[in-house]
Amino acid sequence: MSDTKTAYSAASKHYIKDVVPKSPTEQERYRKAKEREAKYNDDWGRLSVNLNDIIQQFAPGSTGKKKGYKYKYVGKDYIVLADMIAGYLRIVDRRTSQFVKLDGTPGDDPETHFKILKRKDMRS
């Protein structure tokens, strides 16, 4: 299995350390994202996922690309959007443009946010 977590983590660190401090727009985006994270983190944390496993399941073989403050993985049927500020991801069904749960079915907002596990919390 490919290790997509390494590239995502490096991009996230670069964005927060090098991009945010240089741009008022990115500072505001960062502030708002951290507010959302503080508000919803308990809900998102109940649905923690291994980024490598999610990419393998929903966008196998894809290489993530940085897009703004998201890291985007495009698969045949799904797109995985990983937030580099708050450390969560969402999965988009490419046919319906709806966010989906881990079983690929459409879900409501809380059901479709998944906290990305830190490497130390990932199973080997």
Side-chain angles (χ1 to χ4, degrees):
M1 175 188 330
S2 176
D3 180 19
T4 56
K5 174 72 173 163
T6 298
Y8 162 79
S9 294
S12 179
K13 286 176 187 166
H14 168 74
Y15 173 79
I16 291 168
K17 181 182 173 215
D18 299 325
V19 176
V20 171
K22 296 176 184 172
S23 167
T25 301
E26 296 304 320
Q27 290 169 13
E28 181 63 12
R29 182 173 284 146
Y30 181 86
R31 184 189 66 73
K32 287 180 179 179
K34 284 301 190 181
E35 283 179 0
R36 280 191 308 275
E37 181 183 23
K39 185 174 181 180
Y40 298 111
N41 203 45
D42 287 343
D43 291 336
W44 298 345
R46 285 191 209 47
L47 299 170
S48 297
V49 296
N50 180 323
L51 179 61
N52 292 330
D53 292 346
I54 295 298
I55 300 308
Q56 180 65 31
Q57 181 179 348
F58 290 96
S62 70
T63 302
K65 295 195 179 4
K66 184 179 167 297
K67 182 170 180 164
Y69 64 102
K70 302 282 186 182
Y71 214 70
K72 183 176 182 179
Y73 303 87
V74 179
K76 179 179 165 242
D77 298 319
Y78 299 95
I79 297 170
V80 177
L81 298 171
D83 184 285
M84 294 190 294
I85 299 171
Y88 71 88
L89 64 79
R90 297 185 85 185
I91 305 159
V92 181
D93 184 316
R94 293 184 71 185
R95 292 172 306 246
T96 65
S97 297
Q98 291 183 299
F99 292 112
V100 299
K101 299 183 282 189
L102 293 177
D103 64 3
T105 60
D108 294 327
D109 208 37
E111 302 173 301
T112 61
H113 282 82
F114 307 99
K115 192 72 177 175
I116 299 170
L117 288 169
K118 295 185 182 308
R119 185 162 306 278
K120 66 180 175 81
D121 298 327
M122 293 168 52
R123 67 179 190 273
S124 304

